[in-house]
């Protein structure tokens, strides 16, 4: 058979901001894997699975031996009696933590080693609520502090790839949602570079979905549900010269 070595860039679907209303955590980006394959065979069909961006957690992208894990969902924002509802979910990159109108600290979801980073934490306030940023393939999501309640936390930065011949950033985390009594003074968190969606703010913009074919995480909600993550991507580069194996 005639074989060749190819390069592969596989990104999972981004996680969504699985939320209700104020202070929703952002979705984490899909996991990202970049590597080479030495055993591709000419004329052999290979299955390619593109992970869908989720309203909660994203789906995996798969090619050959590479499986990039879908991004984790953002934590709930608002009032919930369910234990752990405010914590972000784990995934390729972890979802940011959501929060309610109480001073409890909530935890962002874990990322998958070698694919992405953790989502940011959050801490509630009696008069405002700011969600944590989703993790990205290149860095953790930012966390909310007790003194930073007017702006949702930013999403983690994505990771660069030049497999297409052009440097492109993929898999940025979503920005956290923000609820603040003076809506004109609040702002949603900025999505991470690499397709992460911006977070929403009450009385203003809604959460923004992650960009398609980047695996970016969805932005957290404010007075409404958070946004879905962006679909993943699989890019395969095949050389135009081969070695004949005898």
């Amino acid at each position: 058979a005639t074989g060749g070595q190819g390069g592969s860039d596989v990104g999972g679907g981004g996680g969504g901001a699985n939320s209700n209303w104020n202070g929703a955590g952002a979705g984490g980006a899909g996991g990202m894997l970049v590597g080479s394959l030495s055993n591709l065979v000419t004329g052999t069909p290979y299955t390619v699975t593109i992970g869908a961006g989720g309203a909660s957690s994203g789906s995996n992208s798969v090619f050959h031996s590479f499986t990039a894990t879908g991004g984790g969902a953002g934590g709930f924002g608002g009032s919930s009696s369910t234990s752990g509802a405010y914590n972000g979910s784990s995934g390729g990159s972890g979802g940011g933590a959501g929060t309610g109108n109480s001073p409890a600290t909530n935890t962002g979801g874990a990322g998958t080693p070698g694919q992405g980073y953790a989502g940011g934490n959050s801490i509630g306030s009696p008069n405002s609520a700011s969600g944590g940023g989703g993790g990205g393939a290149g860095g953790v999501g930012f966390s909310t502090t007790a003194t930073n309640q007017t702006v949702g936390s930013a999403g983690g930065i994505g990771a660069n790839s030049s497999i297409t011949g052009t440097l492109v950033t993929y898999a940025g985390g979503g920005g956290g949602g923000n609820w603040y009594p003076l809506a004109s003074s609040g702002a949603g968190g900025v999505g991470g570079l690499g397709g992460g969606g911006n977070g929403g703010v009450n009385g203003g913009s809604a959460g923004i979905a992650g960009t398609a074919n980047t695996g970016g995480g969805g932005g957290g909600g404010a007075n409404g549900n958070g946004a879905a993550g962006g679909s993943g991507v699989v890019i395969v580069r095949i050389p135009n010269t081969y070695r004949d194996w005898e």
Side-chain angles (χ1 to χ4, degrees):
T2 301
Q5 180 169 341
S8 180
D9 184 342
V10 182
N18 183 20
S19 59
N20 183 13
W21 52 296
N22 61 351
M32 182 172 168
L33 293 169
V34 178
S36 60
L37 297 165
S38 60
N39 56 348
L40 296 176
V41 179
T42 302
T44 300
Y46 294 95
T47 299
V48 177
T49 302
I50 305 295
S56 53
S57 292
S59 300
N60 298 348
S61 289
V62 182
F63 174 70
H64 203 263
S65 58
F66 291 90
T67 298
T69 306
F76 188 88
S79 300
S80 177
S81 59
T82 303
S83 176
Y86 297 116
N87 294 333
S89 297
S90 60
S93 299
T99 187
N101 298 118
S102 66
T105 299
N106 306 292
T107 305
T112 300
Q115 298 193 25
Y117 290 81
N121 301 332
S122 70
I123 183 168
S125 167
N127 299 311
S128 59
S130 181
V140 297
F142 287 78
S143 296
T144 301
T145 66
T147 57
N148 176 26
Q149 293 288 326
T150 61
V151 180
S153 295
I157 192 171
N160 295 331
S161 172
S162 57
I163 191 170
T164 63
T166 301
L167 187 67
V168 179
T169 306
Y170 299 95
N178 176 259
W179 185 93
Y180 192 69
L182 298 175
S184 61
S185 299
V190 176
L193 181 65
N198 292 342
V201 61
N202 63 302
S205 59
I208 303 299
T211 303
N213 304 128
T214 67
N223 279 355
N225 290 333
S231 56
V233 64
V234 175
I235 302 171
V236 181
R237 184 175 64 188
I238 303 297
N240 56 15
T241 57
Y242 302 91
R243 175 180 175 182
D244 288 330
W245 299 94
E246 298 178 354

